[in-house]
Amino acid sequence: MTQPPPRHWLLGYRLLRLRLPEQYRAWVAEDVEGRAFMPWQVARTLLWLVAAIVLYAVGQRATYRWPGGRTLVYLLIVAVAYAAFGSRATLVRKTLKWQRVDRRGNPRAPKRLALLGNVEAVLLAVAVLVAFTGAAALLGAALRPAAVAECLPPDPDTLQRITAGISQPGTSVVVARSLPDSTGELVGVILRKNTKAPGAKTAESRLELIEVEGPQIYAFKFKGITSWMSFPEPPKTTDQAITGALRQVVLCLGQVSST
């Protein structure tokens, strides 16, 4: 058997796929036929796939949040399967091509990526990893919910008028948020009964959406849901702008309730 490369070159070959100096390339032809070849190939492939998963998570966290645990477990399972079930023939062919040697240990003319040197290959790998992380960051930005327009608590007078319109006794306002619109302001309130119904684990709550137009107050009614407000329904002129504002108020209430 030919002389193996020094330890530092051997580790570079095993883990980073560095091209060995010419005097050790004949050893590669023997190595690809040995028992240690496939375990090292699996370990190296899995190492780089795990690094890619980490970069994906970091990129998405930079613009949104960490990926869910299930997503990471799924990606890890896919990585393990890909690394474990790689074709030995394909890996041998790629290794010999990159090392510029044939199966007999004779030099071969480089083609395509094999034309690159170690330094160029490392720079290309770094560029790919940076681009991959950037793509993960863009994906995180795409997954991020649209920004919610700033909505603030309604002024005390408005809140008092709304509270006076509660039709259910023993009910109080838990949280209220207001968002200006074209005709006045939209107010979202979460109401909660102070007493629990028999057999209920928690007190009953209700979301109410209200339109305040100067002295007039309207309560939006939804099919199948009984309103706890005594205000009349707004005129049937709910346009797309108001519908969007209603969504904003609901999102705002959700954010406030979750903090």
Side-chain angles (χ1 to χ4, degrees):
M1 182 168 180
T2 56
Q3 182 69 25
R7 181 175 299 177
H8 65 282
W9 274 111
L10 183 59
L11 289 176
Y13 165 78
R14 296 292 192 196
L15 299 179
L16 301 178
R17 207 185 178 193
L18 293 181
R19 181 182 295 119
L20 296 175
E22 291 185 8
Q23 63 267 32
Y24 301 114
R25 291 179 192 168
W27 171 86
V28 174
E30 298 178 2
D31 178 70
V32 298
E33 302 296 337
R35 294 181 178 180
F37 177 75
M38 280 303 295
W40 276 107
Q41 293 291 315
V42 171
R44 185 185 67 211
T45 301
L46 184 59
L47 174 67
W48 284 103
L49 288 176
V50 169
I53 293 173
V54 171
L55 291 176
Y56 164 75
V58 170
Q60 185 167 314
R61 175 63 180 84
T63 55
Y64 182 30
R65 65 183 181 186
W66 294 109
R70 291 185 179 181
T71 300
L72 295 178
V73 170
Y74 172 77
L75 291 176
L76 185 59
I77 292 174
V78 172
V80 171
Y82 181 85
F85 295 102
S87 167
R88 183 187 182 99
T90 300
L91 292 171
V92 167
R93 184 176 68 254
K94 289 183 177 180
T95 299
L96 293 174
K97 182 178 179 180
W98 172 249
Q99 295 294 330
R100 299 176 180 175
V101 66
D102 62 18
R103 299 185 75 99
R104 297 182 179 84
N106 299 318
R108 63 183 298 178
K111 297 179 181 179
R112 298 181 182 178
L113 288 178
L115 293 169
L116 300 177
N118 283 332
V119 174
E120 292 87 350
V122 169
L123 292 176
L124 177 61
V126 170
V128 170
L129 292 176
V130 170
F132 176 79
T133 307
L138 291 175
L139 175 62
L143 294 174
R144 185 172 56 200
V148 177
E150 182 180 12
C151 45
L152 302 173
D155 64 77
D157 291 339
T158 300
L159 184 58
Q160 185 176 5
R161 293 168 59 199
I162 291 173
T163 304
I166 298 175
S167 61
Q168 293 289 320
T171 301
S172 60
V173 176
V174 178
V175 63
R177 286 296 183 269
S178 172
L179 185 70
D181 69 353
S182 59
T183 58
E185 63 179 314
L186 290 170
V187 181
V189 295
I190 296 178
L191 305 178
R192 181 175 297 163
K193 286 186 177 180
N194 298 328
T195 57
K196 294 189 295 183
K201 295 183 179 179
T202 59
E204 189 177 359
S205 299
R206 186 63 50 87
L207 168 64
E208 298 283 353
L209 298 173
I210 299 161
E211 172 75 14
V212 179
E213 298 180 5
Q216 186 63 52
I217 298 180
Y218 304 101
F220 289 89
K221 314 292 183 178
F222 300 96
K223 187 177 181 180
I225 301 176
T226 303
S227 174
W228 288 359
M229 309 301 296
S230 60
F231 303 117
E233 290 188 72
K236 300 299 182 180
T237 57
T238 304
D239 57 16
Q240 187 174 359
I242 293 180
T243 303
L246 288 172
R247 294 196 191 100
Q248 296 287 344
V249 171
V250 173
L251 288 173
C252 184
L253 283 171
Q255 290 186 352
V256 174
S257 301
S258 63
T259 57

